[in-house]
Amino acid sequence: MRILVTGADGFAGRHLCALLRAAGDEVVEAHGPRAEGANSNALNFDIADEAAVRTAVEKAQPQGIIHLAGFSSVARSHGNPARVFAVNALGTVNLLTAVRESTPETRVLLISAGEVYGPVPEGSRATEDAALLPRNPYATSKMAAELAGLQFHRNYGLAVVVARAFSHLGAGQDATFVVPSFAAQLRAIGKWKVEPVLRTGNLEAIRDFSHVRDVVAAYRLLLTAGVAGQTYNVCSGTGRTIRSVLEEMLALSGVPARIEQDPARLRPADIPSLVGSPDKLRALGWEPKHTLTQALREVLELGTA
């Protein structure tokens, strides 16, 4: 299958492209306009530029698209909501419009986020039919992108599937995210570069973590087997406090550090608990193959043994 992957130069995108190629798919990578590292075979454009998106889709002529490109930081979304909406919501509309005009038979998987649910009662798991109550510009922009995708499916017949991805971890994630931030601090402490103090935000928040390789495997499955017009959670179904994840990282690394809360790392309108139900995805045959501990070892650069 010839698959266009937007955001191919991002964390999940790199893992996804490797998986697709290993499975025998032909991959067309789409990178952002300021992507690091030259790749002569990649398409480089701003997803918020309608004309550039149209040109890229016409050139790629994909049978499938996995749309990962977007503004991905919840924390930073509060500082520039206009750009967040331009990239995540309008960028998705640009892509769908290009598909409608150039390659209307293309299957499209839109990558949304579990953040669209907002707070989930502790002990509960959000299902795909739950009400959406986004609490930040990132989540609201993802909800808008979902609605656009479903509208293009209903009105124009595009084969659009939505994946709501919850937190995922593995090698190569940017240190602006919470777990890689812990890892970067632990490495610096372990090398005696800084004092042995690990600065954190809210450690009592409960999140649903998966290994990135399991997540991208779900994306490939959903592109081919997901029902058009349907939404699927991509998650483990298990909640962990950030504190418990940090404690496991401390044990794995063997680095002694004192934990201190940093007010600058606290998010406005943080969500106490966010756990999803993967039952609908599992019904398609998806099963996770990697553990959170494996993901943490990779984040810590300890290997996978």
Side-chain angles (χ1 to χ4, degrees), residues 5 34-35 76 104 118 143 163 204 214 217-219 251 299-300:
V5 178
R34 294 179 294 277
R76 292 188 338 211
M143 183 177 74
E204 307 315 316
D214 288 326
Y219 293 166
V299 174
L300 288 164

Side-chain angles (χ1 to χ4, degrees), residues 8-223:
D9 51 324
F11 166 54
R14 292 190 295 271
H15 288 275
L16 174 62
C17 290
L19 171 74
L20 295 175
R21 290 192 172 101
D25 294 309
E26 180 184 357
V27 179
V28 180
E29 296 189 16
H31 296 187
R34 294 179 294 277
E36 295 181 4
N39 185 331
S40 59
N41 296 318
L43 303 174
N44 295 79
F45 59 90
D46 184 345
I47 197 69
D49 182 333
E50 183 179 7
V53 175
R54 182 186 303 110
T55 298
V57 171
E58 289 175 348
K59 182 177 181 179
Q61 290 293 302
Q63 296 168 295
I65 296 175
I66 300 179
H67 180 40
L68 278 165
F71 191 112
S72 60
S73 172
V74 172
R76 292 188 338 211
S77 74
H78 293 278
N80 195 354
R83 178 60 179 169
V84 175
F85 274 82
V87 172
N88 291 353
L90 183 58
T92 298
V93 172
N94 290 341
L95 181 66
L96 293 168
T97 300
V99 170
R100 181 192 175 201
E101 294 175 350
S102 302
T103 61
E105 301 303 314
T106 299
R107 286 183 62 85
V108 181
L109 179 66
L110 300 181
I111 309 303
S112 184
E115 283 276 342
V116 298
Y117 291 114
V120 175
E122 189 170 340
S124 299
R125 305 191 303 175
T127 58
E128 289 83 355
D129 57 357
L132 304 186
L133 299 169
R135 295 281 295 272
N136 53 69
Y138 166 78
T140 307
S141 70
K142 283 293 189 180
M143 183 177 74
E146 285 190 22
L147 292 172
L150 296 176
Q151 182 258 309
F152 271 73
H153 166 70
R154 292 169 184 147
N155 287 82
Y156 311 129
L158 296 191
V160 177
V161 180
V162 173
R164 288 183 183 143
F166 286 65
S167 299
H168 40 288
L169 304 171
Q173 191 173 24
D174 191 272
T176 57
F177 292 87
V178 60
V179 172
S181 169
F182 293 159
Q185 292 183 69
L186 287 170
R187 284 193 291 273
I189 293 169
K191 294 176 181 177
W192 302 95
K193 292 183 177 181
V194 297
E195 60 179 329
V197 178
L198 202 153
R199 294 177 171 83
T200 75
N202 176 21
L203 293 180
E204 307 315 316
I206 298 170
R207 293 294 182 267
D208 184 327
F209 292 100
S210 296
H211 196 296
V212 66
R213 288 201 292 274
D214 288 326
V215 169
V216 298
Y219 293 166
R220 184 175 187 271
L221 175 64
L222 288 172
L223 180 66

Side-chain angles (χ1 to χ4, degrees), residues 217-218 221 225 278-289:
L221 175 64
D279 292 350
K280 189 174 178 180
L281 175 62
R282 285 177 179 266
L284 295 179
W286 176 84
E287 290 289 342
K289 297 180 179 179

